[in-house]
Structures are given as structure tokens and as C-alpha cells.
Amino acid sequence: MRTVQGSCDHVVVVGAGLAGLSAALQLAGRGRAVTVVERGVHPGGRVGRMDVDGYRLDTGPTVLTMPDIIEDAFAAVGESMADRLDLMPVQPGYRASFADGSGLDVHSDPDAMAAEVERLAGAGEAEGYLRLRDWLTRLYRVEFDGFIAANFDSPLSLLTPQLARLAAIGGFRRWDRMVRRFISDERLRRVFTFQALYAGVPPRRALAVYAVIAYMDTISGVYFPRGGMRALPDALAAAAADAGVEFRYGSAVSSLERHSDRVTAVHTDAGERVPADAVVLTTELPDTYRLLGRTPRRLLRLRAAPSAVVAHVGCRAVPNDTAGTGHHTVVFGRSWDQTFRDIIDDGRVMSDPSLLVTRPTASDPSLAPAGRDLLYILAPAPNTVVGDVDWVKQGDAYVGEMLDSVVNRLPQLGVDTEILHAVDPAGWERQGMAAGTPFALAHTFAQTGPFRPANVVRGIDNVVLAGSSTVPGVGVPTALLSGRLAADRITGMPSRHRKSQVVQT
């Protein structure tokens, strides 16, 4: 594995998102002095926050999985996640609501989930679910160390025994086709393939290696931090600060100072100069290329993932035992395949919407005023490169249509509603996100593993990249892994197994 050569005693991390916080913790735990430079006034990056009239909004991701990877970040500095973060299991992890009026609670417990599947689709499908569960678990175990949590120096890095095992169990076949081997009910197939939206590729075209996201959601389990998603970056930043990491908030990086093939300092728009032996950049890809003064050569043009319209809505609170009002509900439309054609191929809003409805107040009522619930409604949408939607003219009306769709399917959540905040692809673009998408680059084959933009920069010896647009990809667990992989590029890999230890190097 290629690593940064020369002195790396002081590392500057640009960005206090999850990738930057993870890198800072890993580096601090390995004895490096670390300064984090963040343009915002608090940590989190894409794990955004907003307070509106007594509501505490999460403006970024809302689904949290793989707590062992979060634990790994804390363990890097000898801390325990339990001492910093109150992480609550969400049970069931999801409620799937189908257009025919049927529904399914998605449990991580195999017996509970098999019983739900049998209730919905019969004993044969329940047996198929258990076989699918076994395959997803094997896929994760084979894939994690050798593919997800690995640095690649070239495509030849894939030629390992793990690759052969991954191919043997169908990892490089199509996601939808592999799921069909185990279950035939169309509703169930959606439950185990809708996660392809996160990867930005239709299930029928996505590699089965990305079915590992379904493992994270449906087997590893779904969690939620008390205080909202913002509690995660706050806890990581607090642990890092106590480990000696210096944070400089409200400092946007304006340029990098270079001598020959090394960056020697980071300059901010406030005129600060921060010396650096090595730099971790977690900036959006266009900003990264601007700061580096180069654009990598690629045979194929980078392809952005689809975007989303997100509406934050307040409504009258409903009891947690009210039917169909769990923490996460996936409201599926009838035309599932058409959904992907609409937003990925045709660049238009969904003609038959499928929506994610999150009610964080189901787990933490303190996130809304007394007697109120907080809803987060996400509609996949075309990004601004393929899309032909005038969001300035159509955005408000579309948010209204989203809310109407939710209320029609979940009328118990439609009492005394108020739209608190909304953001569409044009809004994400104004925040600096390439192609107006918070999901960065799509996980096509040409943008997977060693074919994804690398976390090392040709011609600059001491800059490493981290974040959604480099390896391993998009999502909360992968962002944390990205920071760890960046740290490995600077210090070399420490002696550890699955969980990090405090290592002085």
C-alpha cells in the first residue's frame, strides 16, 4: 500500500464531517498532532442540522447502521462509544408500506423477520428469506476487509483470494438477480433492493456487492442517537478534542501552499496559515480539484448519483403504538422499475413516488415541541446534470405533492401539518455539492473500488482524500471508513483486527 513518505508529525484535516472526524481520531490515536479546519461553526459536514421553532432538524442522513464502525472511531483514542453517545436500536428498523395496502415490519432478528415474511407472503418465502439472510451475511464477511475497508493502489490490488471468494458467491452479478434466487414476491424484493437508490444505480444494473447495504439495514440493525443525528459528529469531535485534536471552526480553506511535490501549509480565507506535514482533504470533489489545481485524467466521465428532495414537516404527535407510524417508513409506489427510469435515465421527478418517511420523534420526542411530531420526507430525484426540472418554479409545488402522497398513505401523520424546511437538487448545488446531489458519485462498476477516484493524488506526495467521492463510497459507515483509510495512507496500517487500538507509531 502506498503511504505518505517523510515527516508526518502534524496533519491538517480539511473538513469536520464524519470522514474528517474519523481521520482525526485515527491519526491522534497513532500519535500525530492534528488540526481540523472547518468552514462551518460546528462539526458534521453533510450530517447537517437546523433549529426551527423548537424543532431540531437533521438535514443530512437519518438512517444509522453498523455501530461497530462508529465504535472503532472512538476506540482509536482509547474511548468507548457508550461513554460518548446514547445509541438506541430502532425496532423495527423499517416499516415497508406497499401500494396494494399491505405492509411489512423489517426486523433484524431472524425469527421475528421470518415470521413477518411468512405473514405477508407465505412459508416458502420465509424459508427463502432465511437463505437470503445467510447469503447477505457471507457477502458482508467476505467483502468487508478485502473490498470495503481496503485501500487500492491499482486495479491489480483486487487480485486477491477474497476477490475469488466474492466472485464465487455472486458478488459481481446483478443485485436484483441475486435476490431473485431466494425470494420471488415482488414486495419482498423491493425491501432487499431499494437500497440501490443509495448507490445511485437501479437494482437490475447494480453489482451484487452493493447488496451489502441491505445487510447493514436489515441484518446488522438500524440505530438512532439520542439528540438526533447531530449527536454523532458532536460526540466524535468531543472525543477528538479530548485526545488533543485542535479544531478551527468558521475557517474556509482558500488555498494550499506547495513546495515541489508537497503541500506545506493550508491557508484560510481569514488569512491564517496552518503549517502541515500532511493534509487530509474531505472537501467536495470540485473544491478538491480547485485546491489541488488539477483534474485527474479518466477515460470515463465521472457520473453523479441521483439527488433527492427533502422536506421537514411538523405535525400533531401520534402515539407510538399507532399503526404505520414507526421511526422509518418506506412508502413504495406501484411502478418500482419506472422510478429508476424516471430519475436516472429520463431526468424527471418520479411519476409514481416511492418515499422515505422518517419520524425521529418516535425515538426521541425532545426533537419537537410538546405535542408535536417531526417528519423527514425524502423523495429521490434527478441530479442537476441529467435533470431538466426548474426547481425554482416547481420546487414548492413538488414538496406539496410529496406531503400529499404521505398523508394519503399515512393519514395519521397528516393532522395540522406545517412545512418547516425543504431542500431540492438546486439547493444541494448551492451548498457546493457537485451535480446537486448529497449522494456524491454513483456506484457504477467504473466507479467502484480501485476504479473510484483514489484517495491519493498523483504528483502530490502528502495529500490524501477522504469522504463520499473517494473510497469506499457513500453513507455514514463508509464515510467513517474513508477517514480510517486516509489515516492508513499517512501512518501505514496499525496492528489491529476488526477494531482499532490506540497505537503509537
Side-chain angles (χ1 to χ4, degrees):
M1 180 185 70
R2 175 185 166 188
T3 58
V4 173
Q5 301 301 303
S7 171
C8 292
D9 293 335
H10 180 221
V11 183
V12 176
V13 177
V14 179
L18 295 183
L21 294 170
S22 173
L25 285 163
Q26 296 289 343
L27 290 163
R30 303 175 199 182
R32 299 325 193 252
V34 182
T35 300
V36 177
V37 181
E38 165 59 43
R39 67 181 178 180
V41 297
H42 48 66
R46 295 190 187 205
V47 185
R49 64 187 74 183
M50 180 179 293
D51 295 335
V52 179
D53 297 333
Y55 295 91
R56 303 178 70 196
L57 280 55
D58 290 322
T59 59
T62 62
V63 179
L64 187 61
T65 62
M66 304 303 292
D68 57 322
I69 295 176
I70 302 172
E71 182 71 75
D72 180 76
F74 287 105
V77 293
E79 294 248 13
S80 169
M81 177 177 66
D83 293 336
R84 293 281 184 177
L85 191 67
D86 184 4
L87 204 58
M88 302 176 285
V90 175
Q91 296 177 344
Y94 290 95
R95 170 73 178 176
S97 172
F98 303 106
D100 64 0
S102 61
L104 176 80
D105 287 336
V106 179
H107 297 278
S108 57
D109 178 79
D111 294 334
M113 185 61 179
E116 268 291 278
V117 171
E118 182 171 354
R119 179 192 59 78
L120 179 74
E125 292 293 86
E127 292 175 2
Y129 155 73
L130 292 172
R131 293 194 302 272
L132 173 61
R133 181 187 178 95
D134 178 67
W135 176 75
L136 288 170
T137 301
R138 287 187 290 122
L139 180 72
Y140 172 76
R141 290 173 178 170
V142 170
E143 188 177 339
F144 187 87
D145 286 324
F147 195 77
I148 299 174
N151 276 311
F152 300 98
D153 288 334
S154 77
L156 294 178
S157 302
L158 279 175
L159 300 180
T160 64
Q162 289 99 321
L163 179 71
R165 289 195 291 271
L166 191 57
I169 64 172
F172 295 104
R173 298 177 185 175
R174 297 304 177 191
W175 185 342
D176 183 66
R177 188 172 301 172
M178 287 301 299
V179 170
R180 287 173 182 267
R181 290 187 167 199
F182 302 100
I183 51 179
S184 59
D185 187 280
E186 181 186 358
R187 297 165 298 177
L188 290 177
R189 292 203 305 269
R190 293 185 186 186
V191 170
F192 293 99
T193 61
F194 82 88
Q195 300 87 352
L197 284 168
Y198 304 151
V201 184
R204 65 182 183 277
R205 299 205 301 255
L207 293 176
V209 291
Y210 288 109
V212 73
I213 311 174
Y215 168 88
M216 296 176 179
D217 282 0
T218 66
I219 297 175
S220 175
V222 178
Y223 297 81
F224 187 71
R226 192 176 303 279
M229 291 292 287
R230 70 179 72 184
L232 173 58
D234 284 351
L236 293 169
D242 285 351
V245 174
E246 178 189 3
F247 285 86
R248 299 190 185 185
Y249 293 107
S251 298
V253 173
S254 56
S255 64
L256 303 177
E257 182 180 319
R258 286 179 57 186
H259 289 283
S260 186
D261 55 3
R262 295 180 74 88
V263 170
T264 56
V266 170
H267 290 262
T268 73
D269 58 2
E272 294 179 291
R273 179 183 183 273
V274 187
D277 297 319
V279 176
V280 177
L281 289 178
T282 70
T283 42
E284 299 289 339
L285 209 54
D287 289 334
T288 298
Y289 293 157
R290 175 183 58 80
L291 289 169
L292 295 174
R294 61 181 60 199
T295 301
R297 293 169 294 177
R298 289 180 63 90
L299 294 177
L300 297 176
R301 179 181 176 183
L302 290 173
R303 177 178 151 190
S307 184
V309 179
V310 174
H312 302 269
V313 177
C315 67
R316 184 181 299 174
V318 298
N320 274 354
D321 58 359
T322 304
T325 56
H327 191 114
H328 295 294
T329 302
V330 183
V331 178
F332 289 104
R334 293 185 182 278
S335 304
W336 183 234
D337 290 339
Q338 186 62 42
T339 292
F340 292 93
R341 285 193 291 269
D342 286 340
I343 64 175
I344 295 176
D345 298 329
D346 299 336
R348 62 189 183 190
V349 298
M350 295 175 288
S351 54
D352 182 16
S354 290
L355 307 169
L356 170 64
V357 181
T358 294
R359 186 171 71 98
T361 41
S363 297
D364 187 352
S366 71
L367 300 176
R372 304 291 290 175
D373 265 332
L374 174 60
L375 307 180
Y376 169 107
I377 305 172
L378 182 149
N383 62 48
T384 56
V385 172
V386 302
D388 189 24
V389 181
D390 186 338
W391 291 108
V392 173
K393 293 182 178 179
Q394 301 179 38
D396 290 346
Y398 188 67
V399 168
E401 292 172 13
M402 290 167 55
L403 182 56
D404 289 343
S405 295
V406 170
V407 172
N408 286 338
R409 294 282 293 276
L410 304 172
Q412 60 274 37
L413 298 180
V415 180
D416 193 16
T417 59
E418 54 180 334
I419 296 175
L420 306 169
H421 176 69
V423 62
D424 53 40
W428 299 119
E429 193 167 53
R430 286 192 296 272
Q431 294 180 35
M433 298 182 190
T437 175
F439 302 117
L441 300 178
H443 288 271
T444 61
F445 178 77
Q447 295 176 176
T448 294
F451 306 109
R452 200 167 180 82
N455 60 358
V456 291
V457 182
R458 188 183 302 274
I460 304 178
D461 290 347
N462 65 335
V463 172
V464 182
L465 309 186
S468 298
S469 293
T470 185
V471 291
V474 178
V476 171
T478 42
L480 293 167
L481 287 173
S482 179
R484 194 185 85 185
L485 294 176
D488 290 347
R489 289 287 193 184
I490 292 172
T491 69
M493 292 182 63
S495 299
R496 61 163 180 252
H497 296 290
R498 184 57 57 89
K499 290 190 183 272
S500 294
Q501 306 294 323
V502 178
V503 178
Q504 301 296 325
T505 59

